[in-house]
Amino acid sequence: MPPAELKANEVDRQEEDARLAALEATGILDTPSEPSFDAITRLAAEYFRADTVLLGFADESRVWIKSYWGEPIRELPRSEPIFAMVLAEDGPVILPDLTKHPRFTGRRMMIRRLAAASLASVPVRSPEGRILGVLAILGGQPRRAMAVDELRMLESLAEMVASQLELRRLRKAFDKNAPRSALPVKNGKEAWPRKPDLRRALDQRQFVLYYQPEVELSTRRIVGLEALIRWKHPERGLIPPMDFIPLAEESGMILPIGDWGLTEACNQIQEWCHEDPRHRSLRVCVNLSARQFAREGLADHVEALLRRFGISSRQLGLEMTESSLIPNMHTALQVLSSLRRLGVSLLMDDFGTGYSSLSHLHSYPFDVLKIDRSFVGRITDGEQPLQIVRTIIELARVLGMSVVAEGIETHEQYKLLQRLGCRFGQGFLFARPMPAEATTQLLRLHGGLLPDSKPATVTAD
Ligand code: C2E
Ligand code: MG
Ligand code: MG
């Protein structure tokens, strides 16, 4: 073999080894099916009205199928054109009519039992650009050429797979290295509070809403406020939500408490708008918990509140976590869709802490993704947490959602988030949660712009 050729082979081998190592690092091979990936193949099947969609990753000998739509296929030979062609092209392969392709000349492409007449496949790449796998869409009949939008959609879906893989890889490593955060001090054995205490607190109007500004990072302009409940106990002082919300959820008291919170927030929005009509552009977000979704009347209730206080649906946002959606997936989807039709914003809270985030983002109509503060808090610690946040931001971009970073405490975190393309943020660096009157002051004081150098001084948490 001439030396030049030998060298080329060596380079190929090295490249292939690096590709296999990158695939290995994701730990994806031979894992059971996961809703996140199935959501992507389902989305592809629906969008392209495809008969079969395959998401496969190729090791030395095979294309292992992580997720399929239509024909159940688990594995294909590595030489299978759906992968081999993508690798050879180093990009998408779009063949609307396979029978016209010289490689198949008048035949359909046989993939196991499947006779395909059209193929569209795009590579799934590692962050360094190595091709790890393929997302392939197969049709039983020839189809028309793919429009630019369709190709973009296909590539976005492959990017989502890549983001999901990356998030999965980083989170695994991150979980392994991260110091274990302390478990909540309170546990079920605490004698206080009990359900009647919550009932009494509600009757005696001991709950209050604090508000924490959400800012546009580039301008430090306040774009919204998150309503956060506190219990002003006459003897015990100000009690944070984590000390009573779990009991409220367990005991069902969250329903009347939640109703109170929603009404109170709407009332406050109305007051701020009276104070200054420019405040109409602010979005006030209220946290909702699982039980509140189990009730189908939620959207009607919200609509009635908006009407009663004369506020626009754009002025209200509802935050929920993934775990609050899981107990009633079906009802939750209906409720969320009705809320979305109303025009209120839907925010996915604490993003990244759940384990099948992507599938929920796909299935539910969220507008905003809030990056959990555990990631933001470690973003300056090293490459890994930084990568997680980068990936989440990328994921949101692909899905057309906006991003709010929670828990920004330092200038360094602030600057880094901006550099990563995160548009909005919230955290002690800008302002702590504060009572309504202090919030009114803050809005008045700086015309909605937070001062640059120091954290806002009006704090009362
Ligand atoms: P969340 O919705 O993720 O709210 C953000 C939490 O992060 C708030 O805690 C806020 O005070 C805190 N935070 C904001 N910026 C920073 C920061 O820079 N550093 C740190 N260390 N923390 C920051 P809070 O008010 O204690 O609320 C905790 C959780 O309680 C909320 O998390 C939310 O899940 C729940 N919650 C609050 N209000 C309500 C409510 O009205 N209804 C329901 N169902 N849940 C509520
Ligand atoms: Mg929240
Ligand atoms: Mg949160």
Side-chain angles (χ1 to χ4, degrees):
M1 199 181 281
E5 206 173 307
L6 189 72
K7 227 176 186 169
N9 278 344
E10 258 173 33
V11 171
D12 281 357
R13 186 64 241 167
Q14 275 175 12
E15 192 46 43
E16 178 63 4
D17 285 347
R19 196 189 73 74
L20 290 171
L23 178 62
E24 183 69 31
T26 66
I28 190 79
L29 290 175
D30 300 304
T31 53
S33 67
E34 283 172 60
S36 338
F37 295 100
D38 291 343
I40 297 175
T41 45
R42 191 183 63 227
L43 196 66
E46 281 164 10
Y47 186 88
F48 292 101
R49 295 168 196 258
D51 300 310
T52 305
V53 178
L54 299 174
L55 169 62
F57 297 97
D59 66 12
E60 287 123 302
S61 58
R62 60 187 175 142
V63 182
W64 174 78
I65 307 296
K66 172 70 183 174
S67 175
Y68 59 81
W69 174 268
E71 189 70 16
I73 296 176
R74 317 264 172 199
E75 221 170 88
L76 293 166
R78 160 71 195 257
S79 55
E80 185 61 56
I82 67 161
F83 182 75
M85 287 162 87
V86 155
L87 196 64
E89 284 292 314
D90 197 22
V93 172
I94 313 292
L95 302 172
D97 188 351
L98 281 167
T99 60
K100 297 209 176 101
H101 191 272
R103 186 162 178 171
F104 305 99
T105 49
R107 289 177 297 127
R108 287 158 184 258
M109 180 170 71
M110 285 306 294
I111 296 178
R112 288 278 156 90
R113 292 171 299 280
L114 207 77
S118 73
L119 164 72
S121 51
V122 281
V124 173
R125 295 180 192 271
S126 71
E128 303 77 33
R130 298 205 164 83
I131 299 180
L132 304 180
V134 64
L135 179 66
I137 303 204
L138 299 151
Q141 297 302 323
R143 53 170 291 158
R144 57 180 171 73
M146 207 172 250
V148 178
D149 278 359
E150 290 178 313
L151 181 58
R152 206 173 289 142
M153 178 66 177
L154 195 57
E155 287 182 325
S156 293
L157 290 168
E159 273 182 53
M160 282 182 208
V161 175
S163 296
Q164 188 66 9
L165 274 184
E166 191 51 11
L167 199 56
R168 190 176 186 279
R169 178 178 80 80
L170 292 164
R171 191 160 51 195
K172 249 170 60 182
F174 183 67
D175 282 351
K176 224 170 36 204
N177 299 339
R180 289 276 144 243
S181 58
L183 285 167
V185 200
K186 305 277 178 252
N187 55 39
K189 291 186 212 104
E190 273 276 315
W192 190 90
R194 291 176 189 275
K195 188 178 177 186
D197 300 312
L198 293 179
R199 164 61 61 198
R200 199 170 319 115
L202 193 61
D203 291 344
Q204 298 181 358
R205 302 173 156 267
Q206 290 171 0
F207 292 117
V208 287
L209 290 183
Y210 273 36
Y211 296 88
Q212 184 180 35
E214 180 197 311
V215 304
E216 182 179 49
L217 297 180
S218 59
T219 56
R220 300 178 78 106
R221 184 171 55 94
I222 300 177
V223 292
L225 297 150
E226 178 175 4
L228 294 158
I229 197 168
R230 303 283 182 265
W231 178 358
K232 258 191 181 161
H233 193 274
E235 285 110 42
R236 296 176 187 252
L238 203 62
I239 299 165
M242 277 340 204
D243 290 1
F244 62 90
I245 291 285
L247 170 70
E249 277 168 0
E250 216 175 280
S251 63
M253 278 301 289
I254 194 69
L255 292 179
I257 294 174
D259 281 349
W260 169 83
L262 209 47
T263 312
E264 177 63 21
C266 289
N267 186 27
Q268 189 59 58
I269 297 173
Q270 186 191 44
E271 272 188 33
W272 279 325
C273 292
H274 276 163
E275 147 104 18
D276 185 339
R278 282 176 304 176
H279 291 159
R280 283 208 195 101
S281 65
L282 293 172
R283 178 179 65 200
V284 176
C285 296
V286 178
N287 292 281
L288 292 186
S289 61
R291 291 251 193 159
Q292 294 176 271
F293 286 106
R295 295 192 301 180
E296 294 208 3
L298 182 65
D300 293 336
H301 180 57
V302 169
E303 191 176 14
L305 281 175
L306 294 176
R307 206 171 308 127
R308 174 173 154 203
F309 290 100
I311 56 185
S312 142
S313 57
R314 285 193 315 276
Q315 294 172 268
L316 185 67
L318 299 172
E319 299 194 2
M320 55 225 92
T321 59
E322 287 185 80
S323 51
S324 69
L325 299 173
I326 292 166
N328 348 273
M329 294 275 216
H330 186 64
T331 322
L333 181 58
Q334 288 177 343
V335 173
L336 288 179
S337 306
S338 331
L339 288 167
R340 181 62 186 264
R341 275 197 296 277
L342 264 186
V344 298
S345 304
L346 301 176
L347 298 88
M348 183 173 267
D349 208 351
D350 303 348
F351 185 79
T353 55
Y355 270 81
S356 48
S357 313
L358 187 63
S359 65
H360 295 133
L361 281 189
H362 272 303
S363 319
Y364 299 113
F366 285 99
D367 311 279
V368 182
L369 188 159
K370 297 187 81 171
I371 305 179
D372 189 66
R373 70 168 192 264
S374 61
F375 296 119
V376 175
R378 297 193 191 123
I379 186 177
T380 50
D381 290 358
E383 198 47 35
Q384 243 172 43
L386 185 75
Q387 275 295 349
I388 295 184
V389 173
R390 201 199 302 275
T391 305
I392 295 176
I393 293 170
E394 176 58 22
L395 193 62
R397 188 191 62 75
V398 169
L399 292 169
M401 298 167 71
S402 72
V403 181
V404 180
E406 303 188 279
I408 307 176
E409 292 184 354
T410 68
H411 200 71
E412 220 182 335
Q413 293 164 353
Y414 169 42
K415 288 292 156 202
L416 209 49
L417 283 161
Q418 265 192 293
R419 224 178 307 141
L420 293 178
C422 178
R423 238 187 111 193
F424 302 101
Q426 172 179 345
F428 295 170
L429 178 70
F430 307 108
R432 287 180 178 257
M434 60 190 94
E437 312 79 65
T439 310
T440 310
Q441 291 293 335
L442 187 74
L443 291 170
R444 216 180 272 160
L445 210 62
H446 307 286
L449 277 182
L450 290 178
D452 205 359
S453 51
K454 281 200 223 95
T457 45
V458 194
T459 60
D461 201 13

